Amino acid sequence: MSFKLFCTRAIASHIGVGSRIGFDATSSLWLKAGYATKTINLTSTTYPNTHRNPDFAKVSNSDVLFFRSIVGDNQVLTDDLDAYNEDWMRKYKGQSKVVLKPKTTEQISQLLRYCNQHKLAVVPQGGNTGLVGGSVPVFDEIVISIANMNKVRSFDEASGMFKADAGVILENADGYLAEHDHIFPLDLGAKGSCFIGGNVATNAGGLRLLRYGSLHGSVLGLEAVLPDGTIYDSMHSLRKDNTGYDLKQLFIGSEGTIGIITGVSILCPARPKSVNVAFLGLESYEQVQETFKKARNELCEVLSAFEFMDRGSQVFASRFLKMAHPLSPDDENEVPEYPFYVLIEVAGSKKEHDDEKLESFLESVMEDGTVADGVVSQDESQLRTLWKWRESVSEASTIDGGVYKYDVSLPLPKMYSLVETVRKQLGERQLMSQEDTGMPVVDAIGYGHVGDGNLHLNVCVREYNKKVETALEPFVYEQVQKERGSISAEHGLGFQKKHYIQYSKSPVEIQMIKDLKKHYDPNGIMNPYKYI
Amino acid sequence: MSFKLFCTRAIASHIGVGSRIGFDATSSLWLKAGYATKTINLTSTTYPNTHRNPDFAKVSNSDVLFFRSIVGDNQVLTDDLDAYNEDWMRKYKGQSKVVLKPKTTEQISQLLRYCNQHKLAVVPQGGNTGLVGGSVPVFDEIVISIANMNKVRSFDEASGMFKADAGVILENADGYLAEHDHIFPLDLGAKGSCFIGGNVATNAGGLRLLRYGSLHGSVLGLEAVLPDGTIYDSMHSLRKDNTGYDLKQLFIGSEGTIGIITGVSILCPARPKSVNVAFLGLESYEQVQETFKKARNELCEVLSAFEFMDRGSQVFASRFLKMAHPLSPDDENEVPEYPFYVLIEVAGSKKEHDDEKLESFLESVMEDGTVADGVVSQDESQLRTLWKWRESVSEASTIDGGVYKYDVSLPLPKMYSLVETVRKQLGERQLMSQEDTGMPVVDAIGYGHVGDGNLHLNVCVREYNKKVETALEPFVYEQVQKERGSISAEHGLGFQKKHYIQYSKSPVEIQMIKDLKKHYDPNGIMNPYKYI
């Protein structure tokens, strides 16, 4: 049996050779949602039960004078601070009066020491692309932006060791590495805006995790400033170091609550010379799992992504992309009837070998009936087109008005049942209909990184609706808890999920996390009202 | 140019198809060393400046009665405790009067809570294969052995998630996984004796780190008992979980100082279907680096080990193995004149592809003169033989009497210069000669994991000698500090390196480590006199 080649004939006019669709800091995505308007309500108004901590001082003129003496007049901003107060989703808005833009780790140390002594609350800010309101103030916290710390420090081609300031934009880091035939071991939609320091602070997962593992493995050293101004410097070039607790690990995923990351040392793999993508149609979620199992076994070292999408997500993508679906190139605007779709990417050092492995794998899963249909990209442009059918789902989900997004981890066998359970719940409460525009919910769709057990559940709505919210929360979190999943696979806790951590963590774990927060930040000045 | 095939003709009678040479708990390796005899001196005698902490209680009869009530009479040992008091190197010997062998996490919790309340000091013990005296008592600490906790809990073939008790022997874990076409992401010489809980507690590196990364990346969840008896349970099956500080990371490499690991959840890759090995001769250390750089780039996803050895290490291996060297099969007992040797292993899912990649890589590095000579194994037996020339160096180093072993990490370009510096130092002090048997030192040799920047420096001696020790310490540590290396790449701190941590860590880091120790173990009962 030979495998279909992907033909872009029908869609050639729609798709150019652009970069992947991703988050864009200037995107109007969330403006469509009923609860996000051009004018964002203050977080304090939207969440009246969250109160400013009266222990914190308010910024005085003498504070501002001190800040200017440290970072210079131009790097203390007091006007037009919306870009720093508002989050990327346009859901949260703080009231900070001062933004500081230090240029060195030493300056951050002096700023934090002062803030800690004077009980001035602080929000560390990177590229401000977070999705849980973690990088903007809730009230009048001082914003410390690391945007001015954006230099590559060093790269060693022999070992792949890359060292840079925390404010280097992810795409720039990857571009720098590409020139040296290396790859940043992390990739995500927001790469054009997000900072590598923010990636580490939020333990970003993204699209390369299946292949290159998590930042807990690839980050080899960090430089960070603790709340009291102490500079923690472990900017090693060492893959192995067994002398004491691995302190840097605490900062990976700490979301700015125990310090500000100022430097990152990370191990970067050689850049694959060849990349190819297959796009498959499957009859059941069991077959998705079976295909993944076989792909891990047969594609082994060249497997670099294994993404799945349900049919609903492809219907939204189709409406958004306005192009023929890869598996029905002749029927524009028609999505085939397969309930599940899988995108497999292979990447390696020798194209012929990768192609041969991929083709032999595909023939085997089609012959034994695990996969019903599929196509393989023939060039870079087709590869990007296939990826669009996965990557556009996020943005496409808002096409009817808005979306409730849940980013959860679940054990693989249970992953998709969450979507089915939520659909059932919304159906029983008579909140969901694709046809009846009087219903608030259009559809609940699921897609995500099978390799990471990471499901994106999008509840696509026509309007923001309290009944929908009540039907979803804490229902979704309860379902995740039942399966010992995580209520935040990638995005973190931030402001949005602070009060939901008990669905993922036991009382013992929560207490341990609180104890550590207190240990490092006894005055609680770092990114307050969030995380824990 | 075509590449030599490895011919085992001359050595076929010496080498059988056995498992790799490794540590063996019953080995007499260290007995040869002048400072390790059949009767081991008490640690308290060898190190008279280390004093028992008078705050700790001594074990009373009523304590023993309590222990029996928890774990049962048979699991409280009070006689013949040498195997628990003496370390594998036969260098340290404690004076514990009680060994406890709990069978459940709940029992460990009750034991620790009691010990903490009664200020009874405790040593957690796994397979007792450590190399820094970390797993045996210094004075009369109670030994808590996890040998009875040795069950596989679960394995999920779809995701590769493996969960097991901490007392499972590494080789058994890997054997279990082999039956399911998977591989434990860690391999080391002591695998027949060491426990996976001990591997995690010491952050073992081993032979698969280059390919599969460190335990900080592959361990996905842990179960551990804190000093106060609290059970910390994060035995997740999740690759992604961004809800709070990644607490488990603190236990990875904590060497039993803040708790006892009782369960491990770890991500296991699909087992490669094909493995091959090349053994090369090179003219300089620069060429070793250049070969590594090219191997990372060209072998990319199939590269699974890159080990180097200097000529001295091959001379010792040759005397020990008593077989013809792979690069001079016709001259038995003769090691070729190349100053450096490299072993490259490739592992992948398709043998023809791997072989083709390896051969094309080897042809290219030989054609451009980076590599001077080399052979490739043709079957499993030859592969094992080639590995012996790397793996036997450790044991071979003791052939003249004993060895001072240093396990350090250094930035790649500086790695070998440590060996040269030490040779110079020993030469200048007139302590080293291969011919003059009146000299204490025979040779200083270097070998190790290039991929991990991990150098094993072995100073091979005819006798234990204070002058040699004075010439080496703190000299070696000072050299490592100069290059911002680590004085313990793999083995940990234990008792041996407790007082040397300042050569690898800054005062800030040391203070942070001490603070964490106090945070979790305020009474200091966990593995005292060690680590920090």
Side-chain angles (χ1 to χ4, degrees), chain B residues 49-284:
Chain B
N49 293 329
T50 301
H51 302 287
R52 186 182 182 281
N53 181 345
D55 292 346
F56 293 142
K58 296 197 173 189
V59 181
S60 68
N61 285 340
S62 69
D63 297 332
V64 172
L65 285 176
F66 173 80
F67 298 147
R68 285 186 174 144
S69 77
I70 299 299
V71 297
D73 291 356
N74 292 341
Q75 307 305 329
V76 179
L77 314 185
T78 52
D79 294 317
D80 294 329
L81 303 186
D82 278 358
Y84 301 91
N85 272 316
E86 298 172 0
D87 81 316
W88 178 85
M89 295 192 301
R90 303 185 63 74
K91 192 171 172 188
Y92 303 104
K93 180 168 184 167
Q95 305 165 57
S96 183
K97 305 283 186 294
V98 187
V99 172
L100 308 176
K101 301 183 79 174
K103 291 184 173 172
T104 66
T105 302
E106 183 53 43
Q107 287 179 355
I108 294 187
S109 166
Q110 292 180 55
L111 294 174
L112 280 190
R113 187 178 301 117
Y114 181 93
C115 290
N116 193 43
Q117 279 164 355
H118 293 78
K119 297 211 174 171
L120 288 161
V122 162
V123 179
Q125 192 172 88
N128 197 13
T129 61
L131 296 173
V132 287
S135 56
V136 289
V138 176
F139 296 98
D140 59 345
E141 302 91 279
I142 294 166
V143 175
I144 299 187
S145 162
I146 56 163
N148 281 335
M149 297 184 65
N150 53 13
K151 297 201 175 39
V152 171
R153 298 190 189 177
S154 68
F155 177 65
D156 175 41
E157 285 201 48
S159 61
M161 212 72 63
F162 176 76
K163 296 183 186 183
D165 291 349
V168 169
I169 290 173
L170 176 57
E171 196 165 54
N172 296 348
D174 196 52
Y176 176 96
L177 288 160
E179 288 172 20
H180 297 82
D181 294 326
H182 279 67
I183 189 170
F184 202 87
L186 170 79
D187 185 24
L188 65 162
K191 66 177 164 189
S193 309
C194 65
F195 296 175
I196 59 169
N199 296 148
V200 174
T202 57
N203 187 29
L207 301 166
R208 292 176 185 163
L209 191 128
L210 175 66
R211 177 69 165 266
Y212 301 119
S214 86
L215 293 174
H216 287 289
S218 52
V219 170
L220 299 181
L222 286 179
E223 182 187 81
V225 183
L226 304 186
D228 67 359
T230 299
I231 297 173
Y232 161 72
D233 175 7
S234 81
M235 286 290 281
H236 297 295
S237 307
L238 307 173
R239 281 199 77 166
K240 285 179 172 175
D241 172 30
N242 277 348
T243 58
Y245 310 119
D246 196 352
L247 300 165
K248 69 172 180 290
Q249 300 289 351
L250 288 176
F251 295 92
I252 302 174
S254 63
E255 300 183 36
T257 59
I258 55 173
I260 299 183
I261 295 170
T262 54
V264 175
S265 168
I266 189 164
L267 188 70
C268 298
R271 204 167 191 94
K273 291 180 184 59
S274 113
V275 182
N276 208 346
V277 161
F279 198 98
L280 316 175
L282 300 96
E283 298 288 3
S284 71

Side-chain angles (χ1 to χ4, degrees), chain B residues 380-397:
Chain B
E380 171 81 11
S381 156
Q382 291 188 351
L383 182 151
R384 286 188 177 145
T385 302
L386 291 180
W387 262 110
K388 278 184 202 282
W389 285 88
R390 160 63 184 86
E391 291 196 290
S392 69
V393 178
S394 177
E395 199 161 353
S397 302

Side-chain angles (χ1 to χ4, degrees), chain A residues 240-241 409 486 490 505, chain B residues 240-241 409 486 488 490 505:
Chain A
K240 285 178 171 174
D241 172 30
S409 270
S486 170
E490 299 192 301
K505 291 282 191 281
Chain B
K240 285 179 172 175
D241 172 30
S409 271
S486 170
S488 185
E490 299 192 300
K505 291 282 192 281

Side-chain angles (χ1 to χ4, degrees), chain B residues 430-487:
Chain B
Q430 301 198 309
L431 294 166
M432 185 168 79
S433 167
Q434 288 182 42
E435 295 79 29
D436 182 352
T437 54
M439 295 274 199
V441 179
V442 187
D443 204 356
I445 62 175
Y447 61 102
H449 320 288
V450 176
D452 316 335
N454 184 180
L455 173 77
H456 294 295
L457 161 67
N458 284 8
V459 179
C460 311
V461 295
R462 297 186 175 89
E463 55 167 13
Y464 174 67
N465 181 304
K466 204 70 194 169
K467 275 189 196 162
V468 176
E469 208 164 279
T470 311
L472 291 174
E473 294 182 22
F475 181 77
V476 170
Y477 299 131
E478 285 165 358
Q479 304 307 310
V480 172
Q481 184 179 33
K482 264 189 209 164
E483 305 297 348
R484 294 207 68 182
S486 170
I487 61 155

